[in-house]
Each structure stands twice: as C-alpha cells, then as structure tokens.
Amino acid sequence: MKKLLLGIFLLAAFNSFAQGVRYGAKIGMNVSTLSGDAFDDSSSRYGFAAGVFAEIPLGNAFQFQPEFLYSGQGIKPNTGPEYNFGNGEDGLPMRPFDERAELDYLQLPLLFKKNFGKFNIHLGPQVGVAVWNSDNHEVYKNFDYSGIGGIGVQVFDFLSIEARYSVGFRNVIEERYSGIEGKNQYFALMASYRL
C-alpha cells in the first residue's frame, strides 16, 4: 500500500512539474574568434547557429534552460594567402593561425535564467564537441568547455530575441604547437520560437 501511495505521489509531482515545461527552437548567427596572442591578427568568422531548448520553471522568476545547438565558429587569417608559411615535415601547418579555421560544434549549454518582466538574463556552463574542422583537424582539439552570459527579451509569448557572449576555458590548440594558445570566443544573436 505504501509503495502504491508513493508511486501515485511521484506521478502527481512529475505531472505537475512537466506541465510548466515549454519547448522550442532557435536560430541565429555567431561572430567568433580565438583568443590568444597568436590570433591577434586574425579576423572573426561569421557562422550559423541553430538548435532546440527546454524551459523548466524553478519558481516564479527563475528557469533552467538546457539547449542542444549547432554552432559555426572559427577564424579567418589576416596575414596574406593561406599556407604562406608552409607545412612542417609532418604535413601540418607551421603556423596554424595563418590558416582559415572552420570549427563547428554541437553544444550543450545549461543555462539558468532570471526573468524581469519581458526581459531576462541567462548564465551557465557549456560543453561542445567538434563535428566539422575544415582542413586542419589535427591542429584543433575536438572538445571544448566554456561559459555563457546573455540577455533576452520576450517579444511575444512565442517569440524572443537574445544576445549572448561565450568565453572558452580550454586551449583548443593541440599540444604539438607548444607556446600557442587559442580559446573559443563568440557573440551570438538569436531568435527563439517557443511552443
């Protein structure tokens, strides 16, 4: 009898919790670069971003917002024609920062959101796994972790617009390039459609 009552209680609690959860999709654009002295002369790359999210209430004004995103990131060189410093004996570029890098990731942001009427701020960690790495896949690591902070506005109940900034915490340059450090950074502008 106790197990039956516990099961009914848990089912009722889950049902009331799930009723407040909303789902949606988002699409936008990134302006990304790699931080580090070696990349000071590189230009930003404009990339596509899209994915899905859930909004899980944590009280009246707080929400937990996990997301699953595709994010196009990377750099463009400003030092003349690519490969202008040649490759080493291993066939890898002598100076990876002189090459275009298209670093596309599948990302999992785990955001906490605080609402102020129609406006909100969001903050949280993010992990990413590289799914596309142009022609220099042996230069950059396949895993990244970072932090995100941003602001948003709920234009309509179903539509919101947000701006966010992500700062990478991991050096994504392979160890063979000793002395070179590069961490992902990007600014994103996105529109979200909420069911």
Side-chain angles (χ1 to χ4, degrees):
M1 184 66 172
K2 289 181 182 178
K3 289 183 181 178
L4 178 61
L5 290 175
L6 179 62
I8 292 171
F9 174 76
L10 290 175
L11 185 61
F14 176 77
N15 188 41
S16 63
F17 172 77
Q19 285 179 356
V21 177
R22 297 185 71 173
Y23 303 92
K26 57 178 52 185
I27 188 169
M29 182 185 78
N30 292 335
V31 181
S32 62
T33 188
L34 290 169
S35 67
D37 293 341
F39 297 94
D40 283 347
D41 292 326
S42 298
S43 291
S44 300
R45 178 188 176 211
Y46 296 89
F48 172 76
V52 294
F53 67 92
E55 289 182 347
I56 302 169
L58 298 176
N60 291 335
F62 289 95
Q63 294 172 323
F64 174 57
Q65 183 171 300
E67 302 178 352
F68 184 69
L69 304 174
Y70 171 87
S71 178
Q73 298 169 211
I75 59 164
K76 294 188 295 187
N78 274 344
T79 54
E82 297 185 25
Y83 304 105
N84 59 346
F85 286 91
N87 295 335
E89 293 179 5
D90 57 3
L92 297 175
M94 299 285 285
R95 294 171 28 143
F97 44 86
D98 287 315
E99 296 195 331
R100 180 182 181 88
E102 296 175 358
L103 310 174
D104 296 354
Y105 292 88
L106 289 179
Q107 295 175 327
L108 183 65
L110 301 173
L111 305 175
F112 291 91
K113 190 158 81 170
K114 166 74 171 157
N115 296 309
F116 301 93
K118 290 189 171 193
F119 297 92
N120 70 73
I121 58 172
H122 49 273
L123 184 71
Q126 170 179 266
V127 294
V129 176
V131 293
W132 172 251
N133 200 334
S134 55
D135 295 324
N136 40 26
H137 58 277
E138 295 184 39
V139 174
Y140 297 94
K141 297 173 183 171
N142 291 326
F143 178 75
D144 189 26
Y145 48 89
S146 56
I148 294 178
I151 57 173
V153 59
Q154 199 73 40
V155 181
F156 301 107
D157 182 61
F158 61 90
L159 178 67
S160 64
I161 297 173
E162 66 183 34
R164 61 173 57 167
Y165 191 75
S166 173
V167 177
F169 299 139
R170 184 178 196 219
N171 180 16
V172 295
I173 307 297
E174 289 287 0
E175 280 76 12
R176 65 172 58 89
Y177 294 100
S178 60
I180 298 178
E181 181 176 271
K183 296 179 180 177
N184 282 307
Q185 294 185 1
Y186 69 85
F187 171 79
L189 187 62
M190 307 188 84
S192 300
Y193 179 82
R194 185 174 68 175
L195 301 174

